Amino acid sequence: MMGGRREGPLMRNPSHSSAKSRILMAVAIGISLGCVFAFLYPHGFFSYSAPAFHSRRSQIVSTKCESSERLNELKTEYRIASEKNAELIQQVKELTEKLRLAEQGKDHAQKQVEALGGPFGTVKGLRTNPTVIPDESVNPRLAKILENIAVQREVIVALANWNVKDSLEVWFASIKRVGIPNYLVVALDDKIAEFCESNDVPVYKRDSDKAIDSIGRTGTNHAVSGLKFRILREFLQLGYSVLLSDVDIVYLQNPFNYLYRDSDVESMTDGHNNMTAYGFDDVFDEPPMGWARYAHTMRIWVFNSGFFYIRPTIPSIELLDRVAGHLAREPKSWDQAVFNEELFFPSHPGYEGLHASRRTMDFYLFMNSKVLFKTVRKNARLSKLKPVIIHINYHPNKLERMKAVVEFYVNGNQDALKGFPDGSDW
């Protein structure tokens, strides 16, 4: 007997059952995803609720404040680092100077041992002081100029204002004729600076300084001459040796070929023969003293402060400071007299003398106008010598005599010097 099969509702309609299952599965998946997003984004996926907005704005403001504070911190750190760097640079300079002094001291000590080890009478003292460490921060603009024109860190320097324009023109023409490249005019007014530039003459115009500018424009020759001791200081601090030159000088040869460079100061003299130029024993006679009537004195005619070579050493800078200070205290003093007093006066009670080495130049090579007009032009043998420079320092009619010197020594006019008197009176 065959029995019949009883079918349920699903079995009776398979397609309807499958659709219902898919719907239930989709609902389940939707509910699951909803739960997940609800957990991850409790404030909504695209929520711009006020608390969140204010929170982000606070974060932005906070970030800006932190950035500003950090910037200030960085600026402070940079300033501290810069100060430390400057201190380190100064320490390096000091250590370098000590090392150089130590090396030079070692060299001097060795020379001293060698000298003392020789026979009697061969001992020679050490006179050459070490040069300073150059410091370009003193005057970067001047340092740049000197770097371009100096030769072996040496330079001729002259101060000039418009009052000496004609003499200056003869001065630099003679320098160019000889072929000296390392020279510089320190212009004391704008007109002379423009004049130098138009004639292709190296010139340096200092930054404005009321005291110096006033003297430079309107001061007398002596007042202007006194300025050089203040101005030259920067040259020495920059590490350059300076051949200071007045403008009433005619150059016939290159002076750098005739320097010894063994002293702090090497200067031409106002002396006119071996005794006056290089020193002598002058006996003072006082009869009332009886057998002690004769007193011996050491004499030397002064160094000429219008032409001298000065090395960049501590004693040299001290000399400039002393002279500048003296002239500031006693403005009516003659700068050449003060220059020599500071160089030669020894230490004594209440005064400490300057410990600077000095050398007198050959007065026939570095000739003053007294030697030329009183002696040389009248002597056939001496008149054939060719000086290095001639300084018209003893006579007032400077320009005429400068031109006559050029005529005699450069153009060969043997009569060019004859029309002038020995002294300053015509």
Side-chain angles (χ1 to χ4, degrees):
M1 166 176 158
M2 294 180 61
R5 233 179 5 168
R6 189 175 179 182
E7 298 177 355
L10 289 175
M11 293 298 292
R12 287 195 300 265
N13 193 350
S15 60
H16 178 76
S17 177
S18 176
K20 188 174 182 179
S21 296
R22 286 197 296 271
I23 291 171
L24 290 174
M25 186 176 294
V27 171
I29 291 173
I31 293 172
S32 298
L33 289 174
C35 292
V36 170
F37 280 108
F39 177 76
L40 294 177
Y41 301 98
H43 299 293
F45 188 70
F46 297 104
S47 175
Y48 286 92
S49 62
F53 176 77
H54 288 300
S55 175
R56 291 184 184 180
R57 183 179 180 186
S58 299
Q59 289 176 359
I60 293 172
V61 173
S62 176
T63 301
K64 288 183 178 179
C65 292
E66 290 176 0
S67 298
S68 179
E69 292 175 359
R70 181 55 181 161
L71 181 60
N72 291 333
E73 290 176 2
L74 289 173
K75 288 182 179 179
T76 303
E77 291 175 3
Y78 177 78
R79 179 178 55 78
I80 294 173
S82 298
E83 292 174 355
K84 290 183 177 179
N85 186 52
E87 292 176 1
L88 288 174
I89 291 175
Q90 183 61 32
Q91 290 175 4
V92 168
K93 286 184 178 180
E94 293 174 356
L95 290 174
T96 303
E97 174 70 359
K98 290 179 180 179
L99 178 61
R100 191 172 62 80
L101 290 174
E103 289 293 331
Q104 184 152 2
K106 178 182 176 182
D107 182 55
H108 281 191
Q110 183 177 352
K111 290 180 180 178
Q112 182 171 319
V113 170
E114 293 173 356
L116 292 174
F120 182 82
T122 61
V123 174
K124 188 174 182 180
L126 306 174
R127 302 186 304 281
T128 307
N129 287 305
T131 57
V132 300
I133 295 177
D135 183 4
E136 293 189 359
S137 65
V138 170
N139 190 329
R141 185 164 65 89
L142 178 59
K144 189 66 177 177
I145 294 173
L146 294 176
E147 181 182 350
N148 292 330
I149 67 172
V151 176
Q152 295 182 348
R153 302 193 73 81
E154 294 178 327
V155 62
I156 297 173
V157 175
L159 277 66
N161 60 16
W162 190 250
N163 295 334
V164 296
K165 175 254 183 185
D166 293 333
S167 295
L168 178 66
E169 190 169 15
V170 178
W171 178 85
F172 67 65
S174 70
I175 287 180
K176 290 182 177 183
R177 187 184 304 112
V178 174
I180 303 170
N182 47 328
Y183 70 102
L184 179 69
V185 174
V186 176
L188 299 177
D189 57 48
D190 293 332
K191 290 178 67 177
I192 208 69
E194 294 170 1
F195 175 70
C196 288
E197 290 172 354
S198 65
N199 285 275
D200 196 26
V201 172
V203 63
Y204 165 64
K205 180 68 167 62
R206 299 181 75 258
D207 294 334
S208 181
D209 184 313
K210 290 184 178 179
I212 292 179
D213 290 348
S214 176
I215 297 174
R217 287 192 300 269
T218 61
T220 63
N221 287 342
H222 283 174
V224 170
S225 184
L227 289 178
K228 61 193 170 204
F229 300 100
R230 294 176 59 182
I231 293 174
L232 287 184
R233 193 184 204 276
E234 292 183 341
F235 287 79
L236 300 193
Q237 287 180 278
L238 292 172
Y240 289 87
S241 296
V242 174
L243 185 56
L244 188 281
S245 174
D246 282 353
V247 297
D248 55 345
I249 292 176
V250 176
Y251 287 76
L252 301 171
Q253 297 187 66
N254 190 330
F256 292 109
N257 296 334
Y258 295 88
L259 298 175
Y260 285 79
R261 301 175 177 85
D262 64 348
S263 305
D264 296 305
V265 178
E266 194 169 342
S267 177
M268 74 172 294
T269 175
D270 274 2
H272 59 95
N273 55 30
N274 286 342
M275 286 179 59
T276 57
Y278 308 138
F280 64 101
D281 178 12
D282 186 29
V283 180
F284 177 77
D285 184 11
E286 191 177 6
M289 288 297 296
W291 68 270
R293 62 185 291 180
Y294 300 110
H296 290 258
T297 67
M298 301 308 300
R299 299 285 298 277
I300 184 173
W301 285 30
V302 295
F303 280 3
N304 189 289
S305 64
F307 190 87
F308 60 87
Y309 177 80
I310 186 166
R311 297 175 61 247
T313 66
I314 294 297
S316 295
I317 295 175
E318 183 182 358
L319 169 64
L320 298 181
D321 287 352
R322 284 182 176 225
V323 176
H326 192 142
L327 292 173
R329 295 189 302 272
E330 302 176 20
K332 293 185 179 181
S333 298
W334 184 24
D335 68 283
Q336 179 161 292
V338 174
F339 176 67
N340 281 271
E341 288 174 7
E342 297 296 347
L343 262 179
F344 287 97
F345 279 179
S347 297
H348 55 262
Y351 176 79
E352 183 179 352
L354 178 71
H355 297 276
S357 56
R358 51 198 181 270
R359 168 181 283 275
T360 304
M361 293 177 173
D362 186 323
F363 68 91
Y364 281 129
L365 292 178
F366 299 90
M367 190 182 298
N368 61 58
S369 57
K370 180 175 182 175
V371 174
L372 174 64
F373 287 99
K374 186 178 179 181
T375 305
V376 170
R377 67 169 174 167
K378 301 174 183 179
N379 186 299
R381 183 174 60 87
L382 292 177
S383 62
K384 292 179 181 178
L385 297 175
K386 187 177 183 180
V388 177
I389 62 106
I390 294 179
H391 188 180
I392 313 298
N393 61 315
Y394 270 99
H395 301 88
N397 51 328
K398 298 180 182 296
L399 183 59
E400 293 81 3
R401 294 193 186 233
M402 289 178 71
K403 290 179 178 179
V405 167
V406 173
E407 280 295 314
F408 183 84
Y409 284 102
V410 178
N411 300 330
N413 182 356
Q414 298 302 306
D415 297 326
L417 302 177
K418 290 182 178 179
F420 297 91
D422 290 353
S424 58
D425 295 330
W426 285 89

